[in-house]
Amino acid sequence: MPAREDANAIRTRYPLSFLSLEGEALPVELTRLVWEAADHRTAVRCEITFEAEGHLVEAWIADERFHLFTDLVNAEPSFDLDEPVVIRARLRQSYARRIASSGGDSQTILAALLPGATEHTFLRQSECWLALELMQQIPLPDALASEGVVRHGLQTAWLQSEKAAAQPEDHTGHRKPDDARDETSGVASYSGAQTMLLERLLQQLNLRYEVFASDVVRLDIRTEIGSWRMLIHISESDWCSVYSVFPELVPTSAHAAVAVQLMNLNYDGPGGAFELDAEDGELRFRTSIPGAGSLSAGTLAAVLAEHRRIMERYLPQAGDWSKLS
């Protein structure tokens, strides 16, 4: 049974299907619907949130469903095909105005999306909706587990245009950028400022990255040897920790032997350490850098190069943990 947050928003968990222009069913689970309209002559907005399986979303991106045109997406998708992806989409303005002009609201939209609807059934067409962002939750190392939920994904030009329109204008009539801060307001947090510095350094190094929170940045590293996930965490104590996570888990039967091998590697290691999660077998290489607030591009490049050297050396041994030496 749908739960209303207020007069214009509904939370639910309801399976339904959109239809592509070719009549293909696109199964999703609707989780949220928001309707905002002063009257049908002014700006009307309807946004929905739904979940779909990763392998389906990958196909929809390839087929450009929900207006996911290649030149309007800010990153290449790298979703886990076996995990759900959360999608936010906005109803095209002309259709939203049509609903508003007939006195419709959030309940009207919901009724039209459900199976067996007889009115406004055009809303079930995938191309009535503009995908704003697609996000998927990713697991974090235990050291970052307390930092909250981290998601990765992509955003579209549809969302960026909304952000630009929502930015307040300054005294010259220009809109302020997203990262603008009033120095007297104290809005920008310490970790947020350090992450902004980290972003600038990554841009100088021409590296693609994603920011998940005010203190966590992710890079997906791909080389000829293999690929892995890298997380960079900025702490309030002015430390920058870099984690390279092996793509395979160490099986429980190999934990003891691998732990001994890692002790030997860490004993001789110059500036980093291997860590093995005894609960799930996740293996990662960590480097911690003091003075995150004064981090330079040269220092960061050296640390990332060392991570690449370490990972490329030991990735070929993944799956044969007895050779990790």
Side-chain angles (χ1 to χ4, degrees):
M1 186 73 177
R4 299 192 68 135
E5 297 178 355
D6 52 46
N8 298 313
I10 298 173
R11 281 194 182 276
T12 185
R13 276 275 177 188
Y14 202 98
L16 54 88
S17 290
F18 289 98
L19 294 175
S20 70
L21 293 176
E22 298 83 7
E24 175 190 356
L26 310 177
V28 307
E29 185 173 59
L30 182 69
T31 60
R32 192 166 185 260
L33 190 157
V34 177
W35 173 265
E36 299 174 356
D39 61 68
H40 69 274
R41 293 180 296 276
T42 59
V44 181
R45 177 184 173 80
C46 178
E47 181 180 302
I48 58 175
T49 304
F50 55 88
E51 295 181 4
E53 294 300 322
H55 67 279
L56 294 177
V57 173
E58 183 178 68
W60 298 348
I61 294 173
D63 294 336
E64 300 184 334
R65 309 300 190 198
F66 300 99
H67 292 271
L68 282 165
F69 306 130
T70 302
D71 55 349
L72 299 183
V73 175
N74 74 341
E76 295 181 5
S78 57
F79 295 121
D80 184 332
L81 303 186
D82 297 323
E83 297 296 328
V85 176
V86 178
I87 301 175
R88 284 202 302 126
R90 173 171 56 84
L91 183 62
R92 290 168 58 179
Q93 188 64 209
S94 59
Y95 295 129
R97 286 201 185 100
R98 185 189 304 183
I99 298 298
S101 65
S102 63
D105 58 11
S106 57
Q107 292 286 359
T108 307
I109 302 292
L110 179 61
L113 294 176
L114 299 181
T118 57
E119 296 184 0
H120 309 299
T121 54
F122 61 89
L123 294 177
R124 295 181 64 190
Q125 293 288 331
S126 61
E127 303 320 297
C128 286
W129 301 88
L130 307 175
L132 303 177
E133 68 176 7
L134 295 78
M135 304 298 287
Q136 187 177 64
Q137 185 172 331
I138 63 171
L140 285 174
D142 283 353
L144 299 181
S146 62
E147 299 297 326
V149 175
V150 174
R151 297 180 174 88
H152 77 114
L154 54 86
Q155 296 180 337
T156 70
W158 306 118
L159 179 60
Q160 297 305 320
S161 64
E162 285 193 357
K163 288 182 176 180
Q167 288 300 315
E169 294 182 352
D170 60 21
H171 66 280
T172 66
H174 294 89
R175 297 191 182 279
K176 296 182 180 180
D178 285 340
D179 59 357
R181 296 291 188 272
D182 182 347
E183 294 182 359
T184 65
S185 69
V187 171
S189 66
Y190 178 78
S191 60
Q194 306 309 80
T195 303
M196 291 171 63
L197 170 61
L198 176 60
E199 286 190 72
R200 286 196 292 270
L201 297 179
L202 292 172
Q203 291 166 8
Q204 290 178 31
L205 298 175
N206 294 316
L207 294 174
R208 295 183 64 175
Y209 63 90
E210 294 178 86
V211 178
F212 298 103
S214 62
D215 55 359
V216 181
V217 171
R218 165 178 166 157
L219 296 85
D220 288 318
I221 309 299
R222 295 180 176 85
T223 71
E224 294 181 357
I225 301 299
S227 61
W228 64 93
R229 183 175 72 248
M230 181 181 290
L231 298 172
I232 304 179
H233 174 237
I234 304 293
S235 72
E236 293 184 359
S237 57
D238 201 31
W239 282 80
C240 174
S241 297
V242 182
Y243 298 84
S244 283
V245 183
F246 280 72
E248 295 185 32
L249 300 178
V250 179
T252 303
S253 59
H255 280 193
V258 170
V260 172
Q261 293 164 354
L262 295 182
M263 288 176 60
N264 294 329
L265 289 173
N266 289 339
Y267 181 80
D268 295 325
F274 287 94
E275 299 176 339
L276 175 63
D277 188 326
E279 293 294 327
D280 60 13
E282 181 182 85
L283 177 63
R284 54 189 174 264
F285 181 71
R286 174 182 55 81
T287 301
S288 294
I289 313 168
S294 57
L295 188 63
S296 67
T299 300
L300 181 61
V303 171
L304 299 186
E306 176 65 7
H307 270 250
R308 176 167 179 161
R309 184 188 71 80
I310 291 292
M311 296 300 288
E312 287 189 333
R313 177 176 178 180
Y314 295 109
L315 272 179
Q317 312 302 329
D320 188 1
W321 304 105
S322 63
K323 297 182 179 180
L324 189 63
S325 61

